[in-house]
Amino acid sequence: MNALDTAQLVALAGAVGWASGIRLYLVLLLTGLAGYMGWMQLPQGLHLLANPVVLGASGFMVFVEFFADKIPGLDSLWDVVHTVIRIPAGAALAAGVFSADSAAMSLVAALVGGTLAGTSFAAKATSRAAINTSPEPFSNIGTSLVEDSLVPAGLWLAVAHPFVFLPVLVVVLVLSVWLIRLCWRFLTQLFSRVARIFSGKPDPGLSPAFTLKSPFSKNDPHV
């Protein structure tokens, strides 16, 4: 079991920060298991995650979150509760990657990790809130399962292929910012519509958050 090199440490710091905004407890469990099972040598600042007590607690929370995140409405409430947990946790985990090597690097990692966690969390929370406006639960469940798979894939890629993970992370961040703007505009329109309805004003309707147009006609209705 070899120590992680500099590229792997940088990628791992970015991965745990970004993934914490989506599935914090899954990050804790998978990272701790990797160290406990000897799959990789954890940085000194993350050794605590391999403690059996921490593994048991994070495993229990992964179980709870798996189901809570797939129930429309409850998933958004779960996100609200974790607003004050995921972002600082992402910063702390990223800092832990470098805590034994350099105080300056640890501070930089904390700032970057917190920013990545905040961005991924905002994209998750706003998109799930927009999806929850649909009466059917299947899109919610499907999106949640995709998020479940993205976290282990991102952590693995960061360690196995750090030079691939880093540009992928940049692309994901750009898409996240676009998604936040799209969903926030939709949610703002939704809240304005509700306010108009309760005030008795005319309701012009609401455009869907996600639209697709046929390439064969400029007049096709939104799907």
Side-chain angles (χ1 to χ4, degrees), residues 83-168:
T83 302
V84 296
I85 300 176
R86 289 178 182 162
I87 298 175
L93 288 172
V97 175
F98 293 100
S99 60
D101 301 320
S102 167
M105 281 296 296
S106 181
L107 177 59
V108 171
L111 294 174
V112 174
T115 301
L116 292 174
T119 303
S120 60
F121 173 75
K124 167 185 164 54
T126 54
S127 60
R128 296 298 287 276
I131 290 172
N132 282 339
T133 61
S134 173
E136 48 81 24
F138 304 108
S139 55
N140 183 289
I141 295 173
T143 303
S144 182
L145 290 173
V146 169
E147 293 169 357
D148 289 334
S149 62
L150 283 178
V151 169
L155 293 174
W156 171 81
L157 189 62
V159 175
H161 304 285
F163 292 107
V164 175
F165 171 79
L166 291 173
V168 169

Side-chain angles (χ1 to χ4, degrees), residues 8-79:
Q8 289 174 313
L9 290 174
V10 171
L12 179 62
V16 295
W18 164 78
S20 293
I22 304 174
R23 290 285 189 279
L24 170 61
Y25 303 115
L26 188 56
V27 172
L28 298 177
L29 178 63
L30 293 178
T31 306
L33 274 177
Y36 183 80
M37 300 298 292
W39 297 335
M40 74 175 187
Q41 183 175 333
L42 292 180
Q44 185 175 340
L46 301 181
H47 281 179
L48 182 62
L49 301 183
N51 184 289
V53 175
V54 177
L55 287 173
S58 59
F60 172 74
M61 291 306 298
V62 166
F63 176 80
V64 173
E65 186 171 56
F66 180 83
F67 294 100
D69 196 68
K70 291 168 179 61
I71 301 175
L74 180 59
D75 62 335
S76 291
L77 179 61
W78 185 266
D79 286 338

